[in-house]
Structure formats: structure tokens, C-alpha cells
């Protein structure tokens, strides 16, 4: 008996150490080695000498920051090199694209079947300690890459629709995210014209309820969204639920009981992230990104929200980031977003907004409801999940 216990202690120790080594991946020794490792040599050679110099400087800056992070004794997360290591600030900005609606607009907007803003949480309910929706889906379990298009909002919303459809028992060959990028109207031009200029997941959910969204295979579509074209209605929803902003419990409840949820985030400091539980956003987060929360959990580095990003699989933990989650129900990590004007300039509404959670993760959350696949092609497999 004691031998078994000793063995298990040893293997769990080995497991932790193994994880640590895997996460603390070696940084490339120099810029040339980096370019070779990430297959960027040819692409960079086609750029101007000035641009190449700028990139090399960016590389060494991130290299130094990453080394510093990885020598911190108290760190919950580790930095790793990735394909964003020599990106310019401009390029990184385009890797986001969350443009919130003006707050006044939220109330006036005719959301399809918008449920109460206060999902009521039954008294005395005990939520699971950990949830990971990736384990309950197959076809829709994929990490996308937004490239230089500010389409995070479309990818997050499209992935949510896809996953909710699969969780409802439908087989889903893949949703045409570019239709959302090309067709979702942002008539108020709040901080951008929609499309690659950024928008919000709620607009995408509303579009899916009104028009439906096609499968990837239905039509060829320009990779950056392209112009809107007529498309078959495949994945449709009845609308969406918006969570009460800046509270942890409604998000935890929705993730435990309903499925993946699109959340807002400040991703300004995520480009070095290689693994672990990220805890380095200031309280005054500047929300600029939309991502898909696919669960939550507990680790030796702390509790976390499990987030699927749209920066490809090479980034973070196979395309995901774990964000520090505070003690259940505690929303104490709050500050002010002083830059909402980027998104709400349309209404001249430039006053700062309250923002809670590490990296502003609790500020703007929503998920689709009543998602269905509507045609003879896809068969109802029968509910096989927690719904
Ligand atoms: C860059 O690093 C690689 C491998 O890490 C090494 O072989 C090469 O000599 C280095 N180049 C320079 C210029 O230091
Ligand atoms: C929503 O829930 C919060 C916290 O329980 C409560 O204070 C607030 O009054 C509720 N709002 C509405 C519109 O029901």
C-alpha cells in the first residue's frame, strides 16, 4: 500500500516537473534561428530592409521580456516564442478587433429574443469544480487563426454557434466565419465598420438569428470576409443571452450549465504567453479582444478561466490561454477601462466604463440560445451531452 502511495507521489511529482519543462520552452538564441524555426525566412526576405530591422528590434525586445518572465520565481505563467514574436505593434493591434457597442445602443437595440440580462441562478446550486467543453465536442473543437483581420468577434461567435449546435446533438461540418465578417452589419459604425475593422459577438449572434449562417463547404469565400453574398441558412439560433457584466458567478454558471460563452478581454500583453495561468493584466484593463471561454478549472498555479483564442494553435497552450480566476463569486479585481471611445465613438460616448476580472474577462459576455442546424444534410444525432 505504502509503495503504491509512494509511487503515485513520485509520478505526480514527475508529471509536474515534466509540465514545467514542456512549458518553459527554450527561447531561440538569435533572430535567424527564430526565423528558421517558424518558417518565416522567405516571407521576411520579401520585406524592405527597414521593416526587417523593425522586426528584429521587436524580436529582441520580446526576447528580453520573455527571459525576464521566465526567471521570475513567483510566476504563474511562462513566456514562449511564437509566430508573433517579431510582429509590429500595428500587426498585433490587428490581431484583436473587439469593438463594443455603445452602452446606450445596447438598450435600444432590437436583439432577437434577448433574454433577461440576469440569468437567475437557482439558490443552493453547487457548480462543478471544473468544466472543459472541448471534451464534449469533436468537429467543432478547433482553433482558428484570424491573421491580420480584426475578426476575433466573428471567430468567437461562430465557434460558439458551432459548439452549441454540436452540443445540442447536431453534426456540424464547420461554420463559415467569413460570412459573419462579410455580412454582419455594424450600421452605427461604432469604432469601426464591422468586418476586419472589428465588431462585437452580439451583432454576430443577432445576424445568426435573423439570417442563419452557412457551412464552410457551402460557398467559397474570400479569406478576409469579402463582400456579403447569398448563402444557405444552415446554423440558426433563437438569439442570445447576455450575462450581467462584471460578475464572476453568472459566467461560471453559464459555463457549467449552458456551454461555451464569448467573453471580452484585454489581450494587450498576451503575445508572450506560452503556458500557465496568466495574471499580468492591470486592474484598469483596456478591453480590445473577443474570445471564447470553453470552461474553467483549478490548477497548482491557481483557479482559471479556460479561453480559446483565435491566434492559431502555435500560440499559448495549443491556441488556448488560462486566465486567473479569483475565488468563486469574488469580483474584487475591478478597475476602469479608460479607452472605450475606440468602440463607442459613434455616440460620442467617451466616458470610462467599469471593468472586472483579470484582463477584463467579465465585462461583456454572451452565448447563443436555441442553436439548430436546419436542413436535411445534417442529421440529428440525438442529444448525447449535458443539455
Ligand atoms: C544563431 O543561433 C544558431 C542556433 O541556435 C547558431 O547555430 C548560429 O551560429 C547563431 N548565429 C549567430 C549569428 O549568432
Ligand atoms: C441582477 O442581479 C443582481 C445581483 O443578484 C441584482 O443586484 C440586480 O438587481 C439584478 N438585476 C435585474 C435587472 O434583475
Amino acid at each position: 500500500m505504502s509503495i503504491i502511495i509512494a509511487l503515485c507521489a513520485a509520478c505526480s511529482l514527475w508529471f509536474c516537473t515534466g509540465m514545467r519543462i514542456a512549458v518553459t520552452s527554450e527561447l531561440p538564441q538569435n533572430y535567424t534561428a527564430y526565423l528558421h524555426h517558424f518558417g518565416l525566412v522567405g516571407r521576411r526576405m520579401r520585406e524592405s530592409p527597414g521593416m526587417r530591422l523593425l522586426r528584429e528590434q521587436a524580436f529582441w525586445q520580446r526576447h528580453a521580456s520573455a527571459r525576464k518572465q521566465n526567471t521570475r520565481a513567483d510566476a504563474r505563467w511562462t513566456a514562449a516564442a511564437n509566430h508573433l514574436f517579431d510582429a509590429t505593434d500595428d500587426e498585433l493591434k490587428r490581431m484583436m478587433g473587439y469593438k463594443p457597442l455603445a452602452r446606450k445602443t445596447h438598450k435600444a437595440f432590437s436583439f432577437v429574443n434577448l433574454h433577461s440580462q440576469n440569468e437567475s441562478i437557482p439558490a443552493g446550486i453547487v457548480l462543478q469544480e471544473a468544466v472543459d467543453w472541448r471534451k464534449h465536442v469533436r468537429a467543432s473543437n478547433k482553433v482558428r487563426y484570424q491573421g491580420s483581420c480584426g475578426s476575433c468577434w466573428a471567430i468567437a461567435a461562430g465557434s460558439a454557434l458551432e459548439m452549441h449546435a454540436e452540443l445540442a446533438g447536431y453534426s456540424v461540418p464547420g461554420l463559415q466565419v467569413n460570412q459573419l465578417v462579410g455580412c454582419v452589419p455594424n450600421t452605427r459604425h461604432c469604432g469601426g465598420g464591422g468586418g476586419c475593422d472589428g465588431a462585437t459577438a452580439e451583432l454576430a449572434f443577432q445576424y445568426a438569428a435573423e439570417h442563419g449562417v452557412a457551412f464552410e463547404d457551402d460557398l467559397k469565400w474570400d479569406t478576409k470576409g469579402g463582400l456579403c453574398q447569398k448563402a444557405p441558412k444552415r446554423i440558426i439560433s433563437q438569439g442570445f443571452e447576455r450575462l450581467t457584466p462584471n460578475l464572476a458567478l453568472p459566467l461560471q454558471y453559464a459555463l457549467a450549465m449552458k456551454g461555451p460563452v464569448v467573453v471580452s478581454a484585454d489581450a494587450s500583453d498576451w503575445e508572450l504567453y506560452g503556458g500557465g495561468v496568466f495574471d499580468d493584466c492591470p486592474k484598469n484593463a483596456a478591453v480590445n479582444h473577443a474570445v471564447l471561454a470553453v470552461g474553467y478549472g483549478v490548477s497548482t498555479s491557481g483557479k482559471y478561466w479556460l479561453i480559446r483564442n483565435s491566434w492559431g494553435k502555435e500560440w499559448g497552450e495549443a491556441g488556448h490561454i488560462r486566465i486567473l480566476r479569483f475565488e468563486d463569486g469574488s469580483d474584487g479585481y475591478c478597475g476602469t477601462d479608460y479607452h472605450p471611445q475606440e468602440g463607442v465613438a459613434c455616440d460620442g460616448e467617451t466616458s470610462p466604463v467599469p471593468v472586472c476580472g483579470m484582463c477584463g474577462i467579465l465585462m461583456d459576455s454572451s452565448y447563443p440560445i436555441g442553436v439548430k442546424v436546419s436542413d436535411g444534410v445534417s442529421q440529428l444525432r440525438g442529444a448525447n451531452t449535458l443539455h
Side-chain angles (χ1 to χ4, degrees):
M1 189 65 176
S2 63
I3 292 172
I4 294 170
I5 291 167
L7 271 176
C8 284
C11 67
S12 70
L13 190 68
W14 170 84
F15 181 70
C16 291
T17 323
M19 286 282 281
R20 224 166 262 270
I21 288 164
V23 166
T24 315
S25 51
E26 291 278 316
L27 295 171
Q29 275 182 15
N30 54 52
Y31 189 47
T32 313
Y34 166 79
L35 291 179
H36 279 283
H37 183 82
F38 286 92
L40 292 166
V41 178
R43 208 178 310 171
R44 297 294 179 254
M45 283 310 284
R46 286 192 291 276
E47 292 180 342
S48 71
M51 186 60 154
R52 291 209 296 268
L53 196 65
L54 209 64
R55 289 195 185 284
E56 184 161 358
Q57 283 167 355
F59 166 83
W60 283 116
Q61 256 171 30
R62 296 205 177 97
H63 195 279
S65 309
R67 264 190 26 197
K68 199 166 147 211
Q69 173 64 25
N70 289 350
T71 50
R72 266 173 61 184
D74 60 338
R76 294 177 196 259
W77 64 280
T78 43
N82 54 45
H83 55 292
L84 304 177
F85 239 53
D86 71 344
T88 64
D89 289 347
D90 238 33
E91 282 171 331
L92 274 186
K93 252 192 211 143
R94 278 186 264 129
M95 295 290 295
M96 297 167 201
Y98 167 83
K99 300 286 166 105
L101 297 168
R103 273 164 291 149
K104 278 186 245 152
T105 315
H106 264 304
K107 294 214 173 78
F109 225 75
S110 61
F111 291 123
V112 175
N113 199 15
L114 176 60
H115 275 205
S116 98
Q117 298 221 345
N118 238 2
E119 167 76 26
S120 59
I121 297 166
I125 194 161
V126 178
L127 298 175
Q128 291 151 267
E129 183 154 271
V131 172
D132 184 349
W133 289 105
R134 297 175 302 181
K135 295 178 184 156
H136 299 271
V137 294
R138 274 175 299 199
S140 60
N141 189 18
K142 56 181 162 226
V143 172
R144 289 179 159 96
Y145 182 50
Q146 69 183 89
S148 61
C149 170
S151 55
C152 62
W153 58 277
I155 291 179
S159 303
L161 285 162
E162 226 174 49
M163 285 179 95
H164 277 259
E166 196 175 344
L167 290 169
Y170 296 93
S171 77
V172 186
L175 175 143
Q176 182 51 273
V177 167
N178 288 332
Q179 184 182 354
L180 296 175
V181 181
C183 299
V184 171
N186 184 4
T187 46
R188 288 159 208 263
H189 295 108
C190 305
C196 288
D197 283 341
T200 172
E202 284 108 332
L203 287 167
F205 288 148
Q206 163 138 330
Y207 178 87
E210 286 174 343
H211 306 281
V213 189
F215 292 149
E216 265 163 9
D217 297 341
D218 284 331
L219 295 162
K220 272 227 169 306
W221 217 299
D222 176 279
T223 51
K224 287 193 175 170
L227 292 176
C228 187
Q229 42 182 308
K230 233 180 144 39
K233 280 187 181 187
R234 302 284 205 194
I235 299 177
I236 49 171
S237 76
Q238 287 173 0
F240 62 92
E241 184 89 33
R242 190 171 133 77
L243 303 183
T244 311
N246 292 327
L247 294 177
L249 198 55
L251 179 57
Q252 194 190 354
Y253 178 79
L255 282 171
M257 309 302 285
K258 309 291 181 177
V261 176
V262 177
V263 296
S264 58
D266 176 353
S268 312
D269 296 319
W270 289 9
E271 82 262 19
L272 300 180
Y273 175 77
V277 176
F278 191 82
D279 62 348
D280 272 331
C281 283
K283 282 188 175 177
N284 294 332
V287 167
N288 53 19
H289 200 34
V291 285
L292 188 64
V294 292
Y296 60 85
V298 181
S299 77
T300 49
S301 301
K303 294 183 173 183
Y304 58 84
W305 302 107
L306 179 58
I307 302 295
R308 170 166 289 177
N309 199 356
S310 46
W311 293 354
K313 266 191 234 148
E314 293 72 34
W315 175 87
E317 294 180 334
H320 299 77
I321 182 170
R322 287 179 289 154
I323 300 275
L324 187 65
R325 177 168 64 96
F326 296 97
E327 286 306 308
D328 296 335
S330 156
D331 318 294
Y333 200 78
C334 291
T336 304
D337 183 348
Y338 288 104
H339 306 279
Q341 61 268 31
E342 275 205 10
V344 297
C346 52
D347 271 0
E349 195 177 12
T350 55
S351 51
V353 293
V355 56
C356 293
M358 180 56 65
C359 302
I361 210 86
L362 302 173
M363 196 187 83
D364 187 4
S365 313
S366 57
Y367 64 90
I369 53 174
V371 184
K372 289 192 173 71
V373 171
S374 73
D375 65 24
V377 178
S378 304
Q379 318 257 308
L380 191 61
R381 272 195 279 119
N384 60 345
T385 52
L386 304 176
H387 276 236

